[in-house]
Amino acid sequence: RPNTPPRGPYLWLADDPRLRSYNEGRIIQRWALATAYYALTDPSFWDGWHESHEDECRWDGVDCDLRRLVEEEEDDGGGTVDVGNLDATDISSNNKKDAIDIFSLGTTSAAYNENEEGIDENDRRLHWDWWGSSSSSDDSDYGRERWDVVTSIRAPFAMLSGTIPEEISLLRDLHEINLHGNAFLSDGFTGTIPTELGLLKDLEYLNLSKNSIRGTVPTELGSLPRLYDLRLARNSLGGEMPREVCEMETLMYLSADCDEVRCEFGCCSRCCTDGGFCCHQNGFCFF
């Protein structure tokens, strides 16, 4: 495909007629989802929103919660910006930086109120985030004071194939990722598990089972403070389950292919054999 990351997501964002009305966090959020789209081999699952630039919270398999962008701080009488965890300052790699670069396509000319005195560069950015854009009233749902953050991506048995991009870690409010069972009539998801998933500190449920993911289980998953359910069985993973994952206090359920990913009961709750049975710690097995 000619439009592979980052060119595809960049051009898609640049062509968005509502670009000027988005705050930085919203741009990063749409960038992350667009990157996931372009990482698919056959992205027909999401073709509708891609063509129309539809609100991402209406995309199939995407759920959102409302978030206020700005919170008042009474201590110093000033306004501070709360863009959740989707902050431009958290972005380190060059391809993630592209999501911020495109912000200038729609906002540079209006971003700062040059008539304001005594505002440094950082405060000017916050000032822009607080007061919003020059979008019309018809675009009120896309304003800057309130916006919807992506909290879950559910695409089980969707016959998707492709890779999981590291940019998915920019969706810092994610509670759930469910890509289970995509290796049905295709290979499902291939490649490796991005280590950047360890940045999703609100993630509670991660289901990547029944795909064709290779490599090893990242130790970074052990740093997720709220993860209670991790399902990795029926893949092509190897190595051993990281000690950091086994010692997680919050983890209540963990499945893996224990012959390939060395994992004993007491760490793994369910062990599967390649193409065979899966057995629970209590001895109950099923195909």
Side-chain angles (χ1 to χ4, degrees), residues 189 208-213 232-237 257 274:
F189 284 91
L208 304 179
S209 59
K210 293 189 178 180
N211 282 286
S212 302
I213 299 172
L232 303 174
R234 304 296 196 196
N235 276 290
S236 300
L237 294 165
D257 302 313
D274 190 17

Side-chain angles (χ1 to χ4, degrees), residues 55-244:
D55 181 347
E56 63 270 25
C57 295
R58 298 175 184 172
W59 300 347
D60 290 338
V62 176
D63 289 330
C64 298
D65 283 338
L66 187 63
R67 165 68 56 84
R68 284 201 66 207
L69 179 61
V70 178
E71 295 179 351
E72 289 283 356
E73 280 189 1
E74 297 182 357
D75 295 349
D76 56 10
T80 60
V81 172
D82 175 15
V83 291
N85 293 318
L86 299 174
D87 195 326
T89 59
D90 291 336
I91 300 175
S92 56
S93 64
N94 291 332
N95 56 347
K96 294 177 183 178
K97 181 177 179 296
D98 288 339
I100 302 303
D101 291 341
I102 199 170
F103 187 63
S104 63
L105 292 176
T107 61
T108 299
S109 61
Y112 304 134
N113 184 344
E114 299 296 349
N115 294 324
E116 290 289 333
E117 297 180 359
I119 299 178
D120 64 24
E121 288 299 313
N122 290 329
D123 287 338
R124 284 179 176 174
R125 184 174 68 84
L126 300 185
H127 182 76
W128 166 237
D129 285 339
W130 169 262
W131 291 108
S133 71
S134 58
S135 59
S136 67
S137 59
D138 292 338
D139 294 335
S140 57
D141 289 342
Y142 294 86
R144 294 174 178 276
E145 293 189 6
R146 297 195 314 168
W147 61 299
D148 293 316
V149 294
V150 174
T151 56
S152 70
I153 296 176
R154 300 188 186 104
F157 298 105
M159 293 183 287
L160 299 177
S161 59
T163 59
I164 303 172
E166 66 180 71
E167 287 83 1
I168 206 75
S169 65
L170 293 171
L171 303 174
R172 299 293 176 85
D173 289 279
L174 275 177
H175 294 180
E176 175 182 352
I177 300 175
N178 185 355
L179 304 177
H180 168 70
N182 278 284
F184 178 54
L185 297 177
S186 68
D187 290 334
F189 284 91
T190 57
T192 60
I193 301 174
T195 59
E196 289 80 7
L197 291 185
L199 298 172
L200 298 175
K201 301 305 181 184
D202 286 336
L203 194 63
E204 299 174 347
Y205 180 84
L206 177 59
N207 191 342
L208 304 179
S209 59
K210 293 189 178 180
N211 282 286
S212 302
I213 299 172
R214 299 183 177 276
T216 59
V217 179
T219 59
E220 287 80 1
L221 296 183
S223 66
L224 297 175
R226 298 186 179 182
L227 188 66
Y228 69 85
D229 195 328
L230 177 59
R231 306 187 181 214
L232 303 174
R234 304 296 196 196
N235 276 290
S236 300
L237 294 165
E240 62 182 305
M241 192 63 64
R243 175 179 54 83
E244 291 84 352

Side-chain angles (χ1 to χ4, degrees), residues 12 37 43-54 59-60:
W12 178 76
Y37 170 88
S44 56
F45 181 71
W46 277 340
D47 266 354
W49 66 255
H50 178 263
E51 298 298 330
S52 64
H53 289 94
E54 186 179 28
W59 300 347
D60 290 338

